[in-house]
Amino acid sequence: MRDTRESRLLLVLLVAIAFALITVDIRGGEDSPLDGARHAAASVFGPVEDGVASAVDPVGNAVAAVRESGDRHDRVRRLEEENTKLKQRLGNNARDRARSAELDKLLKTAGAGQYGIKGAQVIGIGAAQGFSWTVTIDMGSGDGIRRDMTVINGDGLVGRVTTVGSSTATVLLAIDPDFTVGTRMEGSGELGFATGRGDRSLHVQLLNGKARIKKGDRMVTFGSQADKPFVPGVPVGKVVGVDPTGGDLTRTLRVRPYVRFSKLDIVGVVVQPPRVNPRDSVLPPKPAKPKPTPTVTVTANPSATATSPAANRS
């Protein structure tokens, strides 16, 4: 529309009419003469407004959902990071507690045998210098470690040092087929030689073919001259099988070692032998045998329950 005098007059007239209608509607309240027109307009334009609102609301909801989704993703990521850190902390604490317990057990064993030891950690496992069953520890010549020193842990005999570097050393495990150690039976003192057989039980040859041996009997190291490579009294294992003699001069035993070689972590290298042979004192105490439960038998006394004839008459 062109801006002319007539158009301006028309605009002023329409504005005046609009104000007049508003005034009439307000003064009329519920009885306003425009109430019918308002309802008619609502019936015409209401569906259009609903359609527009239904078309616009999903878009708004989608935008809000995307925004909230991003916030939730950030919260989930932060929670996952916190959970990971917590699990690592708990895992480290559990490992520290296990190592502390293992070290305490090692120190008790060393104290019982009066062995002077240096604690070390297993840092490698596998073939080395031609041996099949070996581990590497994190101590070497710089720490006073020498070849042919006895290696123990809290359970008993681990092996002997075979190769020494400046900061590491190789330990031949007692289960290696090339490993042999002199043994002494608990109590009887029967002597023998234990040989490794890999992941199977140790093979022990007793010098006395007529020795009385049974399952559960225990043995310790006999010791070597000048305490190298083995100090005496270190727990070796428990008898799990006794082969028949068959008239042989020796007797063969199958012995389960005390040490769990698949879980080696903290070990001790014996750098000072005991002054006195500890013999069987390093072995753990035997479990107490359960006491038999006494059986009480109650027998009825006929004289106490019988009724005398005199009592019946009275």
Side-chain angles (χ1 to χ4, degrees):
M1 178 182 294
R2 297 177 59 184
D3 187 11
T4 62
R5 182 178 179 182
E6 291 80 3
S7 61
R8 286 196 296 270
L9 289 175
L10 179 60
L11 178 60
V12 173
L13 180 61
L14 290 175
V15 171
I17 294 173
F19 275 108
L21 293 175
I22 293 173
T23 302
V24 172
D25 186 41
I26 292 175
R27 290 182 177 180
E30 294 182 357
D31 297 330
S32 173
L34 300 178
D35 188 58
R38 186 187 300 113
H39 286 293
S43 62
V44 173
F45 294 106
V48 178
E49 291 178 354
D50 292 339
V52 172
S54 61
V56 173
D57 285 347
V59 176
N61 293 338
V63 173
V66 170
R67 187 182 302 112
E68 293 176 0
S69 176
D71 294 340
R72 286 196 298 269
H73 178 74
D74 292 339
R75 289 197 298 271
V76 169
R77 179 174 52 80
R78 287 195 299 269
L79 289 175
E80 289 178 348
E81 292 176 355
E82 292 175 0
N83 288 339
T84 301
K85 292 178 181 179
L86 180 59
K87 289 179 181 179
Q88 291 175 350
R89 193 179 306 118
L90 292 175
N92 292 336
N93 290 340
R95 186 178 181 185
D96 291 342
R97 287 194 297 269
R99 284 186 168 182
S100 177
E102 194 171 351
L103 180 59
D104 287 343
K105 194 174 182 181
L106 170 62
L107 293 177
K108 288 180 181 178
T109 299
Q114 296 299 304
Y115 307 127
I117 65 169
K118 286 195 173 182
Q121 182 181 351
V122 174
I123 58 174
I125 186 170
Q129 289 78 38
F131 299 123
S132 299
W133 298 86
T134 60
V135 294
T136 302
I137 59 175
D138 62 351
M139 302 191 75
S141 58
D143 305 292
I145 307 302
R146 300 290 181 267
R147 179 183 169 89
D148 285 336
M149 284 183 168
T150 308
V151 181
I152 65 174
N153 72 356
D155 296 317
L157 180 65
V158 172
R160 63 181 174 87
V161 177
T162 56
T163 305
V164 181
S166 60
S167 59
T168 61
T170 301
V171 178
L172 180 67
L173 301 180
I175 54 177
D176 188 274
D178 291 334
F179 188 97
T180 302
V181 59
T183 61
R184 181 193 295 274
M185 297 298 302
E186 177 187 16
S188 67
E190 294 287 351
L191 303 181
F193 294 93
T195 303
R197 298 196 301 166
D199 56 356
R200 294 178 292 174
S201 301
L202 300 176
H203 213 168
V204 178
Q205 288 282 344
L206 286 185
L207 300 182
N208 181 6
K210 296 182 180 180
R212 293 186 176 182
I213 305 296
K214 64 182 183 301
K215 290 183 179 180
D217 287 350
R218 307 184 297 179
M219 63 185 62
V220 299
T221 56
F222 175 71
S224 306
Q225 186 175 4
D227 298 308
K228 287 189 176 182
F230 302 109
V231 295
V234 181
V236 175
K238 182 185 299 186
V239 176
V240 294
V242 181
D243 293 345
T245 58
D248 296 335
L249 297 178
T250 61
R251 193 161 196 185
T252 303
L253 311 176
R254 297 189 304 278
V255 175
R256 180 186 297 120
Y258 285 118
V259 174
R260 300 180 67 178
F261 293 94
S262 62
K263 294 187 175 183
L264 287 175
D265 188 9
I266 304 297
V267 298
V269 182
V270 181
V271 296
Q272 183 177 353
R275 295 180 180 179
V276 180
N277 189 339
R279 298 186 70 88
D280 303 335
S281 62
V282 188
L283 286 167
K286 289 185 177 181
K289 295 182 179 180
K291 296 181 180 180
T293 304
T295 303
V296 179
T297 304
V298 179
T299 305
N301 188 352
S303 61
T305 58
T307 305
S308 63
N312 289 335
R313 286 196 299 271
S314 62

